[in-house]
Amino acid sequence: MQKVGIAAAIATLAAGVLVTTPATAQFYMKSKDLRGERVRGDEPGIGQLMPGATADELRAAMVWNLRAALNVAALQCQFEPSLLTVQNYNAILSDHKQELAQSYATLTKYFERTAKTKKEGQNALDQFGTRTYSGFATVAAQYGFCTTTSSIGREALYAPRGSFGEIALGRMREVRNSLTPWGEQQFPRMLVSLTPAFLPRFDKACWKKDQFVTKKCGQPFGTVSYAAR
């Protein structure tokens, strides 16, 4: 009986630890559901156009897109340490380094294959990298982007080696959706109707020194309306 009591106490203590463990940042009462369908890599708005790319090359591009998104998140989301975007990104680089290296090699061969010269292929690869990274910069949608990339980074951290590409294909549309600002979803947005500001006419004939001449121009307010600023 004593052993059972000790085991129950340990289980209760463990459960209490799990309950009190802080969750990752929650910026809204209810966040927008940004999940989307699995991608191939050649859909509009998912990545840069890669004419003539094979399925393996498109997969490599999505791997590099997700790596870029997590890298940008590591830089942009440090304002909320509980998201662990920096720690997760660094761990992913180490844990999935072989797949990342293979994807980069695949991309290199694609641009060399589709360019006239090896130098032009390298330039195209450099441009691909620059445009990919800049495509994940966001300000207005920072909360959604940071929470999404934090979730993906956590999944990738515990994923088996060699499956980073599967995560990229499965969640890249979600990453792209997170670049659009959505805000609070629990409560409807309130629309405030603003009364336009009414100003007097400013014609020189309507004024005598600092007095408005009503005989010439009527009542000073209510005749001409201007959009409120």
Side-chain angles (χ1 to χ4, degrees), residues 25-39:
Q26 180 71 22
F27 298 116
Y28 304 109
M29 291 289 292
K30 182 178 181 181
S31 300
K32 173 72 174 179
D33 186 353
L34 301 173
R35 291 173 296 179
E37 298 177 352
R38 178 185 172 90
V39 302

Side-chain angles (χ1 to χ4, degrees), residues 116-193:
K116 294 181 180 179
T117 65
K118 187 173 182 178
K119 182 178 181 180
E120 289 183 3
Q122 183 61 50
N123 290 336
L125 176 62
D126 293 341
Q127 290 178 358
F128 172 85
T130 301
R131 292 169 181 170
T132 297
Y133 273 83
S134 62
F136 292 110
T138 181
V139 176
Q142 190 176 35
Y143 285 172
F145 174 73
C146 288
T147 52
T148 298
T149 49
S150 173
S151 171
I152 294 174
R154 188 165 56 251
E155 179 184 354
L157 187 62
Y158 292 99
R161 291 174 181 174
S163 62
F164 190 79
E166 286 301 307
I167 298 174
L169 295 174
R171 301 192 68 176
M172 184 50 59
R173 194 180 298 277
E174 182 179 356
V175 176
R176 290 297 179 186
N177 290 342
S178 74
L179 297 174
T180 300
W182 294 98
E184 180 61 68
Q185 300 295 302
Q186 180 65 36
F187 307 102
R189 297 179 181 179
M190 298 181 64
L191 299 178
V192 180
S193 179

Side-chain angles (χ1 to χ4, degrees), residues 83-93 149-150 153-154 157:
L83 292 173
L84 300 177
T85 53
V86 176
Q87 295 89 330
N88 288 347
Y89 176 69
N90 290 332
I92 288 167
L93 290 184
T149 49
S150 173
R154 188 165 56 251
L157 187 62

